[in-house]
């Protein structure tokens, strides 16, 4: 049994597949890839394909390499399935970045319930946990967005380092420190400084803005270049 995620909104190919097998009433599902947009749909397809006689569902998450906030929908769907059909469900063997995400969310984030509802007396505590998790989710969303921006900025920063190394004979580390110092001196984002450096080397490219140009000159002088 294999379920593949639908294409992502950006047009990229499917990034999650779920392999599985059923033995003696126990279903073992093995997701591989990323828990991003569409992952809950992939899980729903895998769960719908299970035979009715399944008595427990275990997920081995060791093949999941990345998780953003869509992964929480994945876990909520798993929780809901366990409650609806009153079967034990588990998601274990988290590693790498997904494990870090779950550590931010709290110790029970990856422990779906076993189909037993909580008594009403515990509802206030549940509300407090939900509020805390909501705040952790906000922090997680910011962390994921910063990660994506850093990944997107990496090529232009590497290009700018290459320009500084070629023009001023500095080392890769020196070029990095020059860019970072120019960013701080001009109060400009590092990516913007790097883009200005690379654009200025093209014949038809605009020169860096005055404040960036002055900051680069100061940073180069401090570096002995």
């Amino acid at each position: 049994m294999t379920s593949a995620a639908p294409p992502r909104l950006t047009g990229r190919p499917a990034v999650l597949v779920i392999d599985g097998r059923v033995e003696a009433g126990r279903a073992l599902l093995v997701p591989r890839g990323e828990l991003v947009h569409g992952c809950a749909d992939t899980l729903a397809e895998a769960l719908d394909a299970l035979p009715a006689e399944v008595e427990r569902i275990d997920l081995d998450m060791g093949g999941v390499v990345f998780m953003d906030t869509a992964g929480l929908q994945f876990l909520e769907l798993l929780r809901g399935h366990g409650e609806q059909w009153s079967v034990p469900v588990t998601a274990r063997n988290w590693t790498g970045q997904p494990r870090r995400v779950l550590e931010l969310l709290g110790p029970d984030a990856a422990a779906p319930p076993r189909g037993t509802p909580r008594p009403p007396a515990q509802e206030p505590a549940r509300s407090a946990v939900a509020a805390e998790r909501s705040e952790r989710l906000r922090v997680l969303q910011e962390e994921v967005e910063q990660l994506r921006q850093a990944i997107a900025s990496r090529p232009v920063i590497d290009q700018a380092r290459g320009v500084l190394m070629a023009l001023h004979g500095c080392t890769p580390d020196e070029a990095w420190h020059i860019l970072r110092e120019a960013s701080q001196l001009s109060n400009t984002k590092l990516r913007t400084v790097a883009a200005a450096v690379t654009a200025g080397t093209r014949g038809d490219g605009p020169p860096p803005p005055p404040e960036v140009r002055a900051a680069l000159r100061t940073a180069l002088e401090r570096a002995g270049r």
Side-chain angles (χ1 to χ4, degrees):
M1 178 185 68
T2 301
S3 177
R8 301 177 69 181
L9 294 178
T10 57
R12 295 175 58 184
V15 292
L16 180 72
V17 295
I18 301 179
D19 297 322
R21 66 177 185 271
V22 178
E23 297 178 354
R26 173 180 177 263
L28 174 62
L29 303 182
V30 184
R32 292 181 289 107
E34 302 179 359
L35 297 188
V36 293
H37 176 77
C39 65
D41 294 334
T42 306
L43 177 61
E45 293 175 5
L47 294 173
D48 288 344
L50 294 176
E53 62 269 18
V54 165
E55 298 176 354
R56 71 172 292 120
I57 304 171
D58 297 320
L59 274 69
D60 181 348
M61 308 302 294
V64 174
V65 298
F66 180 81
M67 170 181 174
D68 64 15
T69 53
L72 301 182
Q73 300 173 4
F74 182 99
L75 291 174
E76 287 302 322
L77 177 62
L78 187 60
R79 292 173 189 270
H81 186 87
E83 291 178 344
Q84 179 181 359
W85 298 102
S86 297
V87 295
V89 292
T90 64
R92 300 173 178 171
N93 196 27
W94 297 87
T95 62
Q97 186 265 359
R99 181 174 179 175
R100 167 61 179 155
V101 168
L102 295 176
E103 288 173 349
L104 287 172
L105 292 176
D108 63 337
R114 297 175 176 268
T116 303
R118 296 181 179 180
Q122 294 188 15
E123 287 303 318
R126 183 169 184 169
S127 298
V129 170
E132 181 179 0
R133 181 170 295 172
S134 176
E135 174 60 20
R136 288 178 175 175
L137 175 58
R138 183 190 64 77
V139 173
L140 170 62
Q141 289 172 325
E142 293 179 355
E143 186 173 295
V144 170
E145 181 59 28
Q146 289 171 2
L147 175 61
R148 293 194 185 281
Q149 290 180 1
I151 292 173
S153 301
R154 183 63 183 269
V156 70
I157 292 174
D158 286 345
Q159 291 174 15
R161 291 171 68 188
V163 169
L164 293 176
M165 291 164 61
L167 293 179
H168 302 282
C170 52
T171 67
D173 285 344
E174 288 174 336
W176 165 254
H177 287 298
I178 289 169
L179 287 172
R180 189 173 64 177
E181 186 170 4
S183 172
Q184 295 171 347
L185 290 172
S186 61
N187 194 26
T188 306
K189 290 183 177 180
L190 182 60
R191 174 183 171 85
T192 303
V193 173
V197 170
T198 56
T201 61
R202 299 195 300 267
D204 58 346
E211 64 276 10
V212 173
R213 189 163 58 247
L216 281 168
R217 184 165 53 248
T218 300
L220 285 165
E221 290 175 354
R222 291 180 178 177
R225 303 292 173 181

